[in-house]
Amino acid sequence: HGPWSSNATTKIRCFLKAANVPFTHKPHEDPGAEALKEYPTVDIGAHRLDDGHLIMRFVMPALSYEFFYEWEDKIVLSLEPALQLHASPDDWRKLAGYTHCVKGLQKFLMGRRESRREKDLCDAHLEDEDHKYEEGDEKSFAAEFKEAMAGKFFHGDAPGHVDISFYGMIAGFLGAGAKIATRMIARNGLENWADAMQKRIP
């Protein structure tokens, strides 16, 4: 469950696709889930995990991926806030058009709403003393990722946890042609990596 335009939700879908796990993506339908409607949740039988970070930590290792906690923290606690704060209204409009297939005035209004909503969510995260969210810089993250790559992918010849987590966080923006993602990829020479990831996880 989760919004189609949610980068965190898209990341979870990318992991499930990469692992060939069948799933159905639905909006939150539980009437009591109002407070959770902005966040990805996963139902496994009668059990529900309602936080993207928890899903990554406890479910994804079961998909046989080696889990890199330090990099996951960078992606969740630094890169995601950077995207929420630094994406322009035009970036959010493009994402809205790409994920919701809307045009014209509806696309404009939805993009403006998403931009405001994401910034409000990020502000709340940055004020949360129980976590260590920070206003990161997406360009610096991409440069650090590039420097740490062990080959065609971060993990070498095949994509692993860090590749999929990073790609999943920006896949919607890339598919929409949003500048916050396309510039970050181009400035750090990650075009071949992004193309390879798109072919692995369409």
Side-chain angles (χ1 to χ4, degrees), residues 5 12 22 27 29 34 44 47 59 65 70 72 78 89 91 109 121 125-126 129 133 138 146 148 165 169 184 199-200:
S5 57
I12 302 302
E29 297 176 342
E34 180 67 21
I44 305 173
H47 302 283
V59 177
Y65 290 108
E70 180 182 356
E72 185 62 24
S78 182
D91 291 327
L109 293 175
L121 281 173
H125 285 160
L126 293 174
E129 296 182 356
Y133 292 97
E138 65 279 1
K146 173 72 173 180
S165 191
M169 190 59 68
M184 172 174 56
K199 290 176 182 177
R200 295 288 187 108

Side-chain angles (χ1 to χ4, degrees), residues 1-14:
H1 304 273
W4 278 104
S5 57
S6 163
N7 294 319
T9 302
T10 300
K11 183 174 76 169
I12 302 302
R13 293 203 311 267
C14 284

Side-chain angles (χ1 to χ4, degrees), residues 87 153 160:
F153 299 99

Side-chain angles (χ1 to χ4, degrees), residues 26 38 44 57 95 167 169 175 180 191:
K26 299 179 181 179
E38 310 293 356
I44 305 173
R57 285 179 176 271
L95 183 62
Y167 176 73
M169 190 59 68
I180 190 169
E191 295 95 337

Side-chain angles (χ1 to χ4, degrees), residues 82-150:
L83 296 174
Q84 290 174 308
L85 291 174
H86 302 158
S88 69
D90 185 61
D91 291 327
W92 291 112
R93 282 193 288 272
K94 288 181 178 179
L95 183 62
Y98 179 69
T99 57
H100 294 279
C101 299
V102 294
K103 298 180 180 179
L105 180 60
Q106 187 178 6
K107 176 181 176 180
F108 174 82
L109 293 175
M110 187 174 290
R112 186 170 65 177
R113 183 192 69 190
E114 288 294 304
S115 176
R116 184 168 56 248
R117 180 182 70 85
E118 290 289 337
K119 284 181 171 59
D120 288 344
L121 281 173
C122 186
D123 287 340
H125 285 160
L126 293 174
E127 294 174 3
D128 184 353
E129 296 182 356
D130 293 332
H131 297 85
K132 297 181 179 180
Y133 292 97
E134 61 182 18
E135 182 180 349
D137 178 76
E138 65 279 1
K139 296 180 290 294
S140 296
F141 175 88
E144 184 179 2
F145 175 89
K146 173 72 173 180
E147 180 68 21
M149 288 179 69

Side-chain angles (χ1 to χ4, degrees), residues 1-13 16 23-31 33 36-52 55:
H1 304 273
W4 278 104
S5 57
S6 163
N7 294 319
T9 302
T10 300
K11 183 174 76 169
I12 302 302
R13 293 203 311 267
L16 295 175
F23 67 95
T24 301
H25 178 203
K26 299 179 181 179
H28 289 292
E29 297 176 342
D30 182 351
L36 304 175
K37 67 180 182 179
E38 310 293 356
Y39 304 96
T41 66
V42 170
D43 292 337
I44 305 173
H47 302 283
R48 169 172 288 186
L49 285 176
D50 56 16
D51 178 272
I55 294 168

